[in-house]
């Protein structure tokens, strides 16, 4: 057994830093004997170590009442979601020990593996006069003011040469960056995204344009509403936090409200909806706007360095991975009709993120395709 991997999971559990899937497995594993059974079978961990680790886990296990409270918010969800949750946890529980024993690279079925590094702080700033600036990967964001500075105050451009009345911030695949606008609004751009603003517009009503995905923390100014325009949609806000996902390869545009209030308008039909915190507006290809109650954490997980899959279609997951790791991901034959559940850290290499496929009966391989490589997903 790979003892190091097991201890990492247990340490994260006791510290309260593990994922939902890891937490579910640890609690079930503990109920089935935990380290004592493994120690007998593998000859590792002393009795004293077993007692110490199990005592630490026992101290952190939720009380019955807390467990009920934790799961009660899920009750309104559709039965199909509950089935996915149950099946996913069962698969995780049944196979995670295989993961811990063999390690990711020791399993059969993954051939010709080349790893792909996760995204980093990467972005390009385009000014009104056409100049482009490749922003430093040593910094996470820029601030617009008299000039342009990084978050620590060091100069990108001085005030006299900045020409910031029109500006675009663009992140490539595998890149993310933050920008603070002159009014104090902070915007975090996900990979393969572009934010454009015009200072004249900001002076009157604060309008920005978005392609891709961004999280907004809008500075309140009641006399100057803030607008986010995407293809086919406009979002009106006074002061609030929200996420907009408007990638052109996604079938819908999704706007998720964290706090405050939003009005989302489909431009083709002028259908407008008001959002309350915890709601998501979805603009579909038929130009209809739907409102649903959602887990806000899933929509904004990327900003906290996580992939969060909650009954997520496998094709949507592939699109996320492709953008973040800057690699083409395709299916061998037709894509499987399955939804996945789980959390994956975004700061790991692609091989670790793709390991979630194993729990759902899928494998992958890396193939040479022309001058580049691509990841091919297939059934076991």
């Amino acid at each position: 057994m790979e003892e190091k991997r097991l201890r990492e999971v247990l340490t994260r559990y006791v510290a309260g830093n593990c994922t939902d899937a890891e937490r579910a497995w640890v609690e079930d594993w503990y109920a089935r004997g935990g380290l004592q059974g493994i120690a007998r079978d593998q000859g590792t961990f002393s009795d004293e170590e077993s007692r110490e680790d199990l005592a630490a886990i026992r101290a952190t296990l939720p009380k019955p009442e807390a467990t009920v409270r934790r799961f009660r918010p899920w009750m309104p969800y559709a039965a199909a979601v509950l089935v996915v949750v149950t099946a996913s946890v069962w698969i995780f529980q049944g196979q995670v020990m295989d993961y811990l024993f063999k390690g990711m690279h020791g399993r059969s079925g993954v051939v010709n593996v080349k790893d792909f590094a996760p995204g980093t702080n990467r972005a390009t700033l385009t000014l009104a006069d056409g100049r482009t600036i490749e922003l430093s990967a040593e910094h996470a964001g820029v601030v617009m003011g008299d000039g342009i500075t990084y978050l620590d105050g060091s100069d990108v451009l001085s005030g006299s040469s900045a020409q910031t009345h029109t500006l675009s911030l663009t992140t490539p695949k595998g890149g993310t960056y933050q920008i603070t606008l002159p009014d104090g609004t902070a915007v975090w751009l996900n990979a393969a995204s572009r934010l454009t603003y015009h200072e004249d517009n900001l002076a009157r009503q604060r309008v920005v344009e978005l392609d891709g995905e961004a999280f907004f923390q809008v500075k309140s100014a009641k006399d100057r509403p803030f607008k986010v325009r995407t293809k086919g949609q406009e979002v009106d806000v006074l002061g609030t936090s929200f996420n907009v996902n408007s990638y052109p390869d996604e079938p819908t545009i999704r706007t998720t409200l964290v706090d405050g209030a939003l009005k989302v308008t489909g431009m083709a039909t002028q259908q407008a909806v008001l959002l309350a915190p915890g709601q998501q507006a979805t603009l579909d290809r038929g130009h209809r706007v739907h409102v649903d109650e959602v887990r806000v954490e899933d929509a904004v997980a990327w900003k906290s360095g996580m992939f969060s899959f909650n009954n997520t279609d496998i094709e949507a997951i592939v699109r996320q991975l492709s953008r973040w790791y800057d690699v083409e991901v395709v299916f061998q034959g037709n894509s499987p009709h399955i939804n996945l559940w789980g959390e994956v850290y975004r700061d790991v290499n692609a091989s670790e993120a793709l390991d979630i496929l194993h729990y759902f009966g899928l494998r992958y391989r890396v193939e040479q395709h022309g001058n580049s490589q691509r990841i091919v997903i297939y059934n076991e």
Side-chain angles (χ1 to χ4, degrees):
M1 145 174 221
E2 191 177 338
E3 180 178 327
K4 180 181 177 182
R5 294 289 301 179
L6 176 58
R7 287 205 175 276
E8 287 175 355
V9 174
L10 296 180
T11 300
R12 286 200 299 273
Y13 180 91
V14 173
N17 297 326
C18 64
T19 66
D20 287 344
E22 288 172 338
R23 184 180 300 108
W25 176 80
V26 169
E27 292 174 5
D28 178 77
W29 168 77
Y30 168 79
R32 291 185 285 108
L35 289 176
Q36 294 171 338
I38 295 175
R40 286 193 302 269
D41 296 338
Q42 303 299 321
T44 61
F45 299 108
S46 67
D47 289 342
E48 182 178 356
E49 288 177 315
S50 297
R51 287 192 297 271
E52 290 175 355
D53 283 354
L54 289 172
I57 294 171
R58 182 184 297 110
T60 62
L61 284 172
K63 301 294 188 295
E65 313 85 55
T67 303
V68 172
R69 286 197 297 271
R70 184 173 63 184
F71 285 98
R72 186 172 294 147
W74 291 98
M75 295 304 291
Y77 280 69
V81 177
L82 298 179
V83 169
V84 172
V85 174
T86 303
S88 301
V89 172
W90 175 77
I91 291 170
F92 185 84
Q93 292 169 349
Q95 297 185 356
V96 73
M97 291 313 299
D98 176 67
Y99 170 74
L100 294 171
F101 274 88
K102 297 180 181 178
M104 178 163 49
H105 299 293
R107 287 197 300 267
S108 62
V110 181
V111 297
N112 189 27
V113 174
K114 171 191 173 182
D115 231 341
F116 299 88
T120 58
N121 296 325
R122 296 170 57 200
T124 301
L125 204 59
T126 303
L127 304 180
D129 59 5
R131 284 181 294 163
T132 60
I133 303 169
E134 295 297 326
L135 296 173
S136 170
E138 300 301 316
H139 296 272
V142 293
V143 179
M144 312 302 301
D146 293 335
I148 306 172
T149 65
Y150 289 110
L151 295 178
D152 66 355
S154 58
D155 281 339
V156 177
L157 282 178
S158 63
S160 60
S161 61
Q163 298 186 24
T164 60
H165 53 276
T166 298
L167 178 146
S168 291
L169 182 69
T170 305
T171 54
K173 286 186 174 182
T176 184
Y177 229 78
Q178 178 187 346
I179 182 170
T180 302
L181 302 176
D183 69 334
T185 291
V187 186
W188 288 258
L189 262 67
N190 204 349
S193 301
R194 182 174 69 251
L195 183 81
T196 303
Y197 88 93
H198 306 282
E199 192 170 282
D200 290 342
N201 283 339
L202 285 174
R204 297 193 305 273
Q205 59 178 353
R206 301 191 296 169
V207 178
V208 298
E209 299 171 3
L210 173 68
D211 293 303
E213 183 169 23
F215 180 86
F216 294 83
Q217 201 164 57
V218 177
K219 188 75 170 180
S220 179
K222 294 183 179 180
D223 58 333
R224 289 191 302 150
F226 192 95
K227 295 180 182 288
V228 180
R229 290 175 178 162
T230 64
K231 185 177 181 180
Q233 176 181 284
E234 185 172 272
V235 177
D236 292 89
V237 54
L238 292 175
T240 187
S241 300
F242 60 100
N243 192 82
V244 179
N245 184 321
S246 64
Y247 287 111
D249 61 346
E250 293 290 340
T252 61
I253 297 176
R254 299 185 303 279
T255 304
T256 309
L257 181 59
V258 177
D259 60 63
L262 289 180
K263 182 175 77 171
V264 179
T265 304
M267 301 307 292
T269 63
Q270 289 301 300
Q271 178 191 1
V273 298
L274 296 178
L275 294 187
Q279 292 183 328
Q280 182 179 86
T282 302
L283 178 67
D284 63 26
R285 288 176 175 170
H287 307 293
R288 295 178 297 270
V289 183
H290 311 273
V291 177
D292 298 289
E293 302 285 337
V294 297
R295 272 173 43 101
V296 170
E297 297 89 343
D298 296 331
V300 302
W302 67 269
K303 181 177 171 289
S304 302
M306 297 290 295
F307 293 108
S308 183
F309 306 135
N310 178 7
N311 194 30
T312 307
D313 179 84
I314 182 67
E315 292 187 352
I317 292 173
V318 162
R319 291 192 294 269
Q320 290 186 49
L321 297 176
S322 177
R323 284 191 289 262
W324 186 235
Y325 292 102
D326 191 13
V327 59
E328 182 184 12
V329 185
V330 299
F331 295 97
Q332 179 176 290
N334 296 326
S335 60
H337 297 292
I338 61 172
N339 291 6
L340 273 63
W341 172 278
E343 292 179 329
V344 180
Y345 293 100
R346 280 171 41 120
D347 63 354
V348 300
N349 287 340
S351 58
E352 293 187 57
L354 286 164
D355 193 64
I356 194 173
L357 300 176
H358 175 68
Y359 306 129
F360 295 86
L362 299 173
R363 299 285 191 180
Y364 75 92
R365 62 177 178 268
V366 178
E367 294 182 347
Q368 192 70 31
H369 185 66
N371 295 324
S372 61
Q373 290 190 312
R374 66 181 182 183
I375 295 171
V376 180
I377 298 174
Y378 60 97
N379 288 310
E380 286 185 316

